[in-house]
Amino acid sequence: MKRTKIFADANLTIGTIDPHLFGSFIEHLGRAVYEGIYEPGHPTADENGFRRDVIDLIRELRVPLVRYPGGNFLSGYNWRDGIGPRESRPVRLDLAWFSTETNEFGTDEFMKWCRIAGVEPMMAVNMGTGSVLDAARLVEYCNHAGGTTISDLRHENGAQEPYGVKYWCIGNEMDGPWQIGHLSAEEYGRKALEAAKVMRWSNGEMDGGNTNDRLRLIVSGSSNHEMETFPEWDRIVLENTYEAVDFLSMHRYYMYSAARPRPLEDFLGSADDMAEFIGTIRATIEYVRAKLRSDKRVRISFDEWNIWTVTAPRKEPIWKRAPHLLEDVYTFQDALVFAGLMNTLLNNCDIVRLACLAQLVNVIAPIMTQKGGGTFRQTSFFPFAYLSNNASGECVRTISDTDTFPALVVPKRGSENAPNRARIINEAITHDRTKREVCVSLLNYGQEANEVTLELRSFGSLSAKEYVEMTSGDLFAVNSFECERIVPHAKELPVLKDGSSCTLSLPPMSWSFLKFSY
Ligand code: AHR
């Protein structure tokens, strides 16, 4: 059997875990909104048409924040189409997803849904076809108390109190030629700076004043690290906007499918690949900070991440409301890669202060629904739920002697002759000093069982409280409306030697989660 040692010390912290690391995303795309979170007439729907069965699952996932309304949809969206009396809202072509948008659900419905679901809204303003003024007016609509035409419109639409939205994305994937109104880095950088300035002013922020209710602004970074413009895009955009914004966004989907075969090892190396990507963006932010002689720390908002199984490109538009789009059904193997991505986010929590699992319901999502029917939890649901419910406090550094395997980490940098390597045993260890708990998320990406010894120093005398494992003989096993086959199973709790060390036997291709208290 293979053996691995992992060492961690309570005094060696990476950073504090911001709960916003467990955010998610709902876009007007496919059945995410319609038949996902909103389905009037569904047996569980409340008086607003919000599906309560879906809200219950979102609570189980413990998502603190949800980004809205897009995504690519954003760049063709006029937010005014989605407010006011429903019968007078226009029906539009959605040119991002080639479907039809009825606008039955818009900003006010989203805000109400967030309140009922117990999540914080994270809004995005259109920088593709939208103007700086449209962006500012949306801030005014959401956050200004009243006495202006735009804020009084919100009152008329049923919301007396301002929504107080704090987190705002300035556009979406503006580096992508697929984006409606795609811009160059220089054009976008200039426009984003002006948008940031006027959005803040609309929020009542004077230069240097009013820090409490400050907007947290997120400028669009590279859509992924395979873009030709990466990382110049990020440098240029940041050089234009550094002092005006709080976050640079990152997006990345990891793909594995029969339609686009690639070596399994490359897919299993995704967690290390994501770490490389974050490392480059971290360096780019530091470079710009040094160049501008700034004291300010811009952070990363990893506001789209997930596994995305590439499906054959569509040949024709589906001009209808809520078509079945991007309804990936995740395999057990996907869940393993997914859990590794979560470990990477945790291990970079000093700079990644916000992240959004893309997406939340039906569209590349952990929750699936049937129109008029039930729901099921995808394989990926479980690592997310365990970590969002438990991984709080600080993330600590780990030292591991794990073996590695050849994987094409960071595709453009590696080559087939000299592949990079990824870790077989991948871990994240968190420490909550208030709850007096230590949590461990462990992956074995190897084809053999691995005996892992955890040496957890300076935490106090630990005892195991929970130990679950996800494993399956079938890497392609999936969950469905009929049966949730792939779920974590409870294991016998390990006994710790001297309150600090234990040895676990990790099956090949498995994810394990442990909780200790002291
Ligand atoms: O989440 C699906 C899509 O992926 C989003 O609309 C876009 O931002 C990204 O390319």
CSV table of all heavy atoms in Angstrom, one decimal, residues 113-138:
chain,number,residue,atom,x,y,z
A,113,TRP,N,-36.5,36.7,-3.5
A,113,TRP,CA,-36.1,35.3,-3.4
A,113,TRP,C,-34.9,35.2,-2.5
A,113,TRP,O,-34.9,34.3,-1.6
A,113,TRP,CB,-35.8,34.7,-4.8
A,113,TRP,CG,-35.3,33.3,-4.7
A,113,TRP,CD1,-36.1,32.2,-4.7
A,113,TRP,CD2,-34.0,32.9,-4.7
A,113,TRP,NE1,-35.3,31.1,-4.6
A,113,TRP,CE2,-34.0,31.5,-4.6
A,113,TRP,CE3,-32.7,33.5,-4.7
A,113,TRP,CZ2,-32.9,30.7,-4.5
A,113,TRP,CZ3,-31.6,32.7,-4.7
A,113,TRP,CH2,-31.7,31.3,-4.6
A,114,CYS,N,-34.0,36.1,-2.6
A,114,CYS,CA,-32.8,36.1,-1.7
A,114,CYS,C,-33.2,36.2,-0.3
A,114,CYS,O,-32.6,35.5,0.6
A,114,CYS,CB,-31.8,37.2,-2.1
A,114,CYS,SG,-30.9,36.9,-3.6
A,115,ARG,N,-34.1,37.1,0.0
A,115,ARG,CA,-34.5,37.3,1.4
A,115,ARG,C,-35.1,36.0,1.9
A,115,ARG,O,-34.8,35.5,3.0
A,115,ARG,CB,-35.5,38.5,1.5
A,115,ARG,CG,-35.8,38.9,2.9
A,115,ARG,CD,-36.5,40.2,3.0
A,115,ARG,NE,-37.6,40.4,2.0
A,115,ARG,CZ,-38.8,39.8,2.0
A,115,ARG,NH1,-39.1,39.0,2.9
A,115,ARG,NH2,-39.6,40.1,1.0
A,116,ILE,N,-36.0,35.4,1.1
A,116,ILE,CA,-36.7,34.2,1.6
A,116,ILE,C,-35.7,33.0,1.7
A,116,ILE,O,-35.7,32.2,2.6
A,116,ILE,CB,-37.9,33.8,0.7
A,116,ILE,CG1,-38.9,34.9,0.8
A,116,ILE,CG2,-38.4,32.5,0.9
A,116,ILE,CD1,-40.1,34.9,-0.1
A,117,ALA,N,-34.8,32.9,0.7
A,117,ALA,CA,-33.8,31.8,0.7
A,117,ALA,C,-32.7,32.0,1.8
A,117,ALA,O,-31.9,31.1,2.0
A,117,ALA,CB,-33.2,31.6,-0.7
A,118,GLY,N,-32.6,33.2,2.3
A,118,GLY,CA,-31.5,33.5,3.3
A,118,GLY,C,-30.2,33.7,2.7
A,118,GLY,O,-29.2,33.3,3.3
A,119,VAL,N,-30.1,34.2,1.5
A,119,VAL,CA,-28.8,34.4,0.8
A,119,VAL,C,-28.6,35.9,0.5
A,119,VAL,O,-29.6,36.7,0.4
A,119,VAL,CB,-28.6,33.6,-0.5
A,119,VAL,CG1,-28.8,32.2,-0.2
A,119,VAL,CG2,-29.6,34.1,-1.6
A,120,GLU,N,-27.4,36.3,0.4
A,120,GLU,CA,-27.1,37.7,0.0
A,120,GLU,C,-27.0,37.9,-1.5
A,120,GLU,O,-26.4,37.0,-2.1
A,120,GLU,CB,-25.7,38.1,0.7
A,120,GLU,CG,-25.3,39.5,0.4
A,120,GLU,CD,-24.0,39.9,1.1
A,120,GLU,OE1,-23.4,39.1,1.9
A,120,GLU,OE2,-23.5,41.0,0.8
A,121,PRO,N,-27.6,38.9,-2.0
A,121,PRO,CA,-27.6,39.1,-3.5
A,121,PRO,C,-26.2,39.6,-3.9
A,121,PRO,O,-25.6,40.5,-3.2
A,121,PRO,CB,-28.7,40.1,-3.8
A,121,PRO,CG,-28.9,40.9,-2.5
A,121,PRO,CD,-28.5,39.9,-1.4
A,122,MET,N,-25.7,39.2,-5.0
A,122,MET,CA,-24.5,39.7,-5.7
A,122,MET,C,-25.0,40.1,-7.1
A,122,MET,O,-25.3,39.2,-7.8
A,122,MET,CB,-23.4,38.7,-5.7
A,122,MET,CG,-22.2,39.1,-6.5
A,122,MET,SD,-20.9,37.8,-6.3
A,122,MET,CE,-19.6,38.3,-7.3
A,123,MET,N,-25.0,41.4,-7.4
A,123,MET,CA,-25.5,41.8,-8.7
A,123,MET,C,-24.4,42.0,-9.7
A,123,MET,O,-23.2,42.2,-9.3
A,123,MET,CB,-26.3,43.1,-8.5
A,123,MET,CG,-27.6,42.9,-7.7
A,123,MET,SD,-28.8,41.9,-8.6
A,123,MET,CE,-29.4,43.1,-9.8
A,124,ALA,N,-24.8,42.1,-11.0
A,124,ALA,CA,-23.8,42.3,-12.0
A,124,ALA,C,-24.4,43.4,-13.0
A,124,ALA,O,-25.6,43.3,-13.2
A,124,ALA,CB,-23.5,41.0,-12.8
A,125,VAL,N,-23.6,44.3,-13.5
A,125,VAL,CA,-24.1,45.3,-14.4
A,125,VAL,C,-23.5,45.0,-15.8
A,125,VAL,O,-22.4,44.6,-15.9
A,125,VAL,CB,-23.7,46.7,-13.9
A,125,VAL,CG1,-24.4,47.1,-12.6
A,125,VAL,CG2,-22.2,46.9,-13.8
A,126,ASN,N,-24.4,45.3,-16.8
A,126,ASN,CA,-24.1,45.0,-18.2
A,126,ASN,C,-23.0,46.0,-18.7
A,126,ASN,O,-23.3,47.2,-18.8
A,126,ASN,CB,-25.4,45.1,-18.9
A,126,ASN,CG,-25.3,45.0,-20.4
A,126,ASN,OD1,-24.2,44.9,-21.0
A,126,ASN,ND2,-26.4,44.9,-21.1
A,127,MET,N,-21.9,45.5,-19.1
A,127,MET,CA,-20.8,46.4,-19.7
A,127,MET,C,-20.7,46.1,-21.2
A,127,MET,O,-19.8,46.6,-21.8
A,127,MET,CB,-19.5,46.1,-19.0
A,127,MET,CG,-19.4,46.7,-17.6
A,127,MET,SD,-19.2,48.6,-17.6
A,127,MET,CE,-20.8,49.1,-17.1
A,128,GLY,N,-21.5,45.1,-21.7
A,128,GLY,CA,-21.4,44.8,-23.1
A,128,GLY,C,-22.3,45.8,-23.9
A,128,GLY,O,-21.7,46.6,-24.7
A,129,THR,N,-23.6,45.7,-23.8
A,129,THR,CA,-24.5,46.7,-24.5
A,129,THR,C,-25.0,47.7,-23.5
A,129,THR,O,-25.7,48.6,-24.0
A,129,THR,CB,-25.7,45.9,-25.1
A,129,THR,OG1,-26.3,45.2,-24.0
A,129,THR,CG2,-25.2,44.9,-26.2
A,130,GLY,N,-24.7,47.6,-22.2
A,130,GLY,CA,-25.2,48.6,-21.3
A,130,GLY,C,-24.2,49.8,-21.1
A,130,GLY,O,-23.0,49.6,-21.3
A,131,SER,N,-24.7,50.9,-20.7
A,131,SER,CA,-23.9,52.1,-20.5
A,131,SER,C,-23.5,52.2,-19.0
A,131,SER,O,-24.0,51.6,-18.1
A,131,SER,CB,-24.6,53.3,-21.0
A,131,SER,OG,-25.7,53.6,-20.0
A,132,VAL,N,-22.6,53.1,-18.8
A,132,VAL,CA,-22.1,53.5,-17.5
A,132,VAL,C,-23.4,54.0,-16.7
A,132,VAL,O,-23.6,53.7,-15.5
A,132,VAL,CB,-21.0,54.6,-17.5
A,132,VAL,CG1,-20.8,55.2,-16.2
A,132,VAL,CG2,-19.7,53.9,-18.1
A,133,LEU,N,-24.2,54.8,-17.4
A,133,LEU,CA,-25.4,55.4,-16.7
A,133,LEU,C,-26.4,54.3,-16.3
A,133,LEU,O,-27.0,54.3,-15.3
A,133,LEU,CB,-26.0,56.4,-17.6
A,133,LEU,CG,-27.2,57.2,-17.0
A,133,LEU,CD1,-26.7,58.0,-15.8
A,133,LEU,CD2,-27.8,58.2,-18.0
A,134,ASP,N,-26.6,53.3,-17.2
A,134,ASP,CA,-27.5,52.1,-16.9
A,134,ASP,C,-27.0,51.5,-15.6
A,134,ASP,O,-27.8,51.1,-14.8
A,134,ASP,CB,-27.5,51.1,-18.0
A,134,ASP,CG,-28.1,51.6,-19.3
A,134,ASP,OD1,-29.0,52.4,-19.2
A,134,ASP,OD2,-27.7,51.1,-20.4
A,135,ALA,N,-25.7,51.3,-15.5
A,135,ALA,CA,-25.1,50.6,-14.3
A,135,ALA,C,-25.4,51.5,-13.1
A,135,ALA,O,-25.8,51.0,-12.0
A,135,ALA,CB,-23.6,50.4,-14.5
A,136,ALA,N,-25.1,52.8,-13.2
A,136,ALA,CA,-25.3,53.6,-12.0
A,136,ALA,C,-26.8,53.7,-11.6
A,136,ALA,O,-27.1,53.7,-10.4
A,136,ALA,CB,-24.9,55.1,-12.4
A,137,ARG,N,-27.7,53.6,-12.6
A,137,ARG,CA,-29.1,53.7,-12.3
A,137,ARG,C,-29.6,52.4,-11.6
A,137,ARG,O,-30.5,52.4,-10.8
A,137,ARG,CB,-29.9,54.0,-13.6
A,137,ARG,CG,-29.7,55.3,-14.2
A,137,ARG,CD,-30.8,56.3,-13.8
A,137,ARG,NE,-30.4,57.7,-13.8
A,137,ARG,CZ,-30.5,58.5,-14.9
A,137,ARG,NH1,-31.0,58.0,-16.0
A,137,ARG,NH2,-30.1,59.7,-14.8
A,138,LEU,N,-29.0,51.3,-11.9
A,138,LEU,CA,-29.3,50.1,-11.3
A,138,LEU,C,-28.9,50.1,-9.8
A,138,LEU,O,-29.7,49.7,-8.9
A,138,LEU,CB,-28.7,48.8,-12.0
A,138,LEU,CG,-29.1,47.5,-11.4
A,138,LEU,CD1,-30.6,47.3,-11.3
A,138,LEU,CD2,-28.5,46.3,-12.2
